[in-house]
Amino acid sequence: MSEKTLTRMDLSEAVFREVGLSRNDSSQLVENVLQYMSDALVRGEQVKISSFGTFSVRDKAARVGRNPKTGEEVPINPRRVLTFRPSHLMKDRVAAGNKR
């Protein structure tokens, strides 16, 4: 498996090559899309991208955890966490890529 990471710059470069916008416009488009998605998640909305997956925010309740080293009980505060659920098409595509 490769260790390459897809970055914002890679996305804006792909928009530049595929769509034909200028590099600045491509970069701004990627930034705007990511900002729009982030803002929706902050408001607690789901972000569903067809054939890709769904990003959502879950509220986790307070609970008691344990320090694995000492066994001491430690309170874990309530928090919001970001989750991603890939679509079936994305799961299938990734699984097919593993067979190479």
Side-chain angles (χ1 to χ4, degrees):
M1 208 164 141
S2 78
E3 296 296 319
K4 175 128 174 56
T5 301
L6 183 68
T7 64
R8 289 173 189 235
M9 184 177 249
D10 295 333
L11 291 173
S12 62
E13 186 65 25
V15 170
F16 166 72
R17 281 193 320 270
E18 298 292 325
V19 178
L21 295 175
S22 72
R23 277 196 164 85
N24 283 342
D25 288 346
S26 298
S27 177
Q28 191 60 51
L29 176 67
V30 169
E31 288 301 319
N32 288 346
V33 168
L34 294 175
Q35 186 65 50
Y36 194 76
M37 290 171 61
S38 298
D39 291 346
L41 291 165
V42 166
R43 290 189 303 267
E45 299 173 16
Q46 282 191 346
V47 175
K48 187 178 284 193
I49 302 172
S50 180
S51 301
F52 187 77
T54 303
F55 296 90
S56 58
V57 177
R58 273 188 38 206
D59 290 318
K60 295 189 95 173
R63 62 187 176 92
V64 176
R66 230 175 254 295
N67 181 330
K69 227 176 199 177
T70 64
E72 176 187 358
E73 288 189 352
V74 180
I76 299 175
N77 296 328
R79 63 201 185 282
R80 296 175 81 197
V81 295
L82 179 63
T83 62
F84 174 72
R85 235 189 113 123
S87 71
H88 290 295
L89 290 172
M90 180 57 72
K91 284 182 184 179
D92 293 345
R93 191 163 179 208
V94 169
N98 289 340
K99 294 176 184 169
R100 289 185 216 170

